[in-house]
Amino acid sequence: MAQALRADQQADTAPEQPRTGREPVDKFQDGPVQVSIFQNPSAKGDFRTAKLEVRYKDKDGEFQTSHSYTASVLKHIASASISAAEKISKWEEENKSKTQAQVR
Protein backbone atom coordinates (compact mmCIF):
# COMPACT_ATOMS: atom_id res chain seq x y z
CA MET A 1 0.00 0.00 0.00
CA ALA A 2 1.18 3.53 -0.66
CA GLN A 3 2.77 5.46 2.16
CA ALA A 4 2.50 9.23 2.35
CA LEU A 5 5.73 11.13 2.90
CA ARG A 6 5.79 14.29 4.97
CA ALA A 7 7.19 17.31 3.17
CA ASP A 8 10.42 17.05 5.19
CA GLN A 9 10.89 13.31 4.48
CA GLN A 10 13.00 11.90 1.68
CA ALA A 11 12.82 8.31 0.52
CA ASP A 12 15.99 6.63 1.75
CA THR A 13 16.70 5.45 -1.80
CA ALA A 14 16.49 8.91 -3.37
CA PRO A 15 19.01 11.71 -3.49
CA GLU A 16 18.11 15.35 -3.01
CA GLN A 17 16.34 16.29 -6.25
CA PRO A 18 17.33 19.49 -8.04
CA ARG A 19 14.86 22.33 -7.55
CA THR A 20 12.66 22.98 -10.56
CA GLY A 21 10.95 26.08 -9.19
CA ARG A 22 7.81 24.10 -8.48
CA GLU A 23 7.20 21.99 -5.43
CA PRO A 24 4.88 19.00 -5.55
CA VAL A 25 1.50 19.43 -3.85
CA ASP A 26 1.71 15.82 -2.65
CA LYS A 27 4.36 13.12 -2.36
CA PHE A 28 4.14 9.46 -1.42
CA GLN A 29 5.97 6.22 -1.90
CA ASP A 30 4.83 2.70 -2.77
CA GLY A 31 7.74 0.32 -2.24
CA PRO A 32 10.57 1.60 -4.44
CA VAL A 33 8.24 3.88 -6.47
CA GLN A 34 8.34 7.56 -5.56
CA VAL A 35 5.35 9.64 -6.65
CA SER A 36 5.16 13.43 -6.82
CA ILE A 37 1.92 15.18 -7.74
CA PHE A 38 2.21 18.64 -9.28
CA GLN A 39 -0.43 21.30 -9.85
CA ASN A 40 -0.16 23.00 -13.22
CA PRO A 41 -1.86 26.20 -14.36
CA SER A 42 -3.56 26.50 -17.73
CA ALA A 43 -5.96 28.85 -19.49
CA LYS A 44 -8.76 26.36 -18.81
CA GLY A 45 -7.91 26.08 -15.13
CA ASP A 46 -5.43 24.21 -13.00
CA PHE A 47 -4.80 20.53 -13.48
CA ARG A 48 -2.64 17.96 -11.71
CA THR A 49 -0.12 15.45 -12.98
CA ALA A 50 1.83 12.64 -11.33
CA LYS A 51 5.51 11.86 -11.75
CA LEU A 52 6.58 8.30 -10.91
CA GLU A 53 10.23 7.36 -10.40
CA VAL A 54 12.18 4.30 -9.35
CA ARG A 55 15.65 5.37 -8.20
CA TYR A 56 18.60 3.16 -7.31
CA LYS A 57 22.33 3.42 -6.69
CA ASP A 58 24.60 2.04 -9.38
CA LYS A 59 27.88 0.17 -8.72
CA ASP A 60 29.68 3.52 -8.33
CA GLY A 61 27.20 4.73 -5.70
CA GLU A 62 25.57 7.23 -8.09
CA PHE A 63 21.78 7.51 -8.18
CA GLN A 64 20.09 6.47 -11.41
CA THR A 65 16.47 6.30 -12.59
CA SER A 66 15.33 2.87 -13.69
CA HIS A 67 13.55 2.32 -17.01
CA SER A 68 13.05 -1.46 -16.79
CA TYR A 69 11.31 -3.25 -13.96
CA THR A 70 10.87 -6.64 -12.35
CA ALA A 71 7.40 -8.07 -11.78
CA SER A 72 7.60 -7.00 -8.14
CA VAL A 73 8.40 -3.38 -9.01
CA LEU A 74 5.68 -3.36 -11.69
CA LYS A 75 3.15 -4.27 -9.00
CA HIS A 76 4.29 -1.24 -6.98
CA ILE A 77 4.08 0.96 -10.10
CA ALA A 78 0.51 -0.25 -10.71
CA SER A 79 -0.48 0.40 -7.09
CA ALA A 80 1.22 3.82 -7.06
CA SER A 81 -0.50 4.75 -10.35
CA ILE A 82 -3.91 3.84 -8.97
CA SER A 83 -3.25 5.82 -5.77
CA ALA A 84 -2.08 8.85 -7.77
CA ALA A 85 -5.11 8.65 -10.06
CA GLU A 86 -7.43 8.49 -7.03
CA LYS A 87 -5.76 11.49 -5.39
CA ILE A 88 -5.94 13.53 -8.61
CA SER A 89 -9.55 12.50 -9.27
CA LYS A 90 -10.55 13.44 -5.72
CA TRP A 91 -8.89 16.85 -6.14
CA GLU A 92 -10.63 17.35 -9.52
CA GLU A 93 -14.00 16.48 -8.01
CA GLU A 94 -13.45 18.84 -5.05
CA ASN A 95 -12.19 21.58 -7.35
CA LYS A 96 -15.14 21.16 -9.71
CA SER A 97 -17.57 21.41 -6.77
CA LYS A 98 -15.92 24.63 -5.56
CA THR A 99 -15.98 26.15 -9.07
CA GLN A 100 -19.65 25.26 -9.55
CA ALA A 101 -20.54 26.74 -6.15
CA GLN A 102 -18.81 30.02 -7.06
CA VAL A 103 -20.75 30.25 -10.35
CA ARG A 104 -24.12 29.89 -8.63
Side-chain angles (χ1 to χ4, degrees), residues 1-58:
M1 192 55 155
Q3 297 177 351
L5 294 177
R6 293 189 322 260
D8 63 337
Q9 283 182 312
Q10 288 280 332
D12 58 359
T13 58
E16 182 72 28
Q17 295 294 316
R19 299 288 179 208
T20 61
R22 282 187 336 181
E23 294 294 323
V25 294
D26 194 5
K27 289 165 93 172
F28 65 94
Q29 186 167 345
D30 190 312
V33 181
Q34 300 164 50
V35 182
S36 299
I37 298 177
F38 291 90
Q39 188 158 324
N40 305 283
S42 82
K44 295 181 180 180
D46 289 358
F47 64 97
R48 289 190 174 182
T49 58
K51 176 181 176 183
L52 284 71
E53 285 189 312
V54 177
R55 305 278 289 166
Y56 66 95
K57 281 188 180 180
D58 64 16

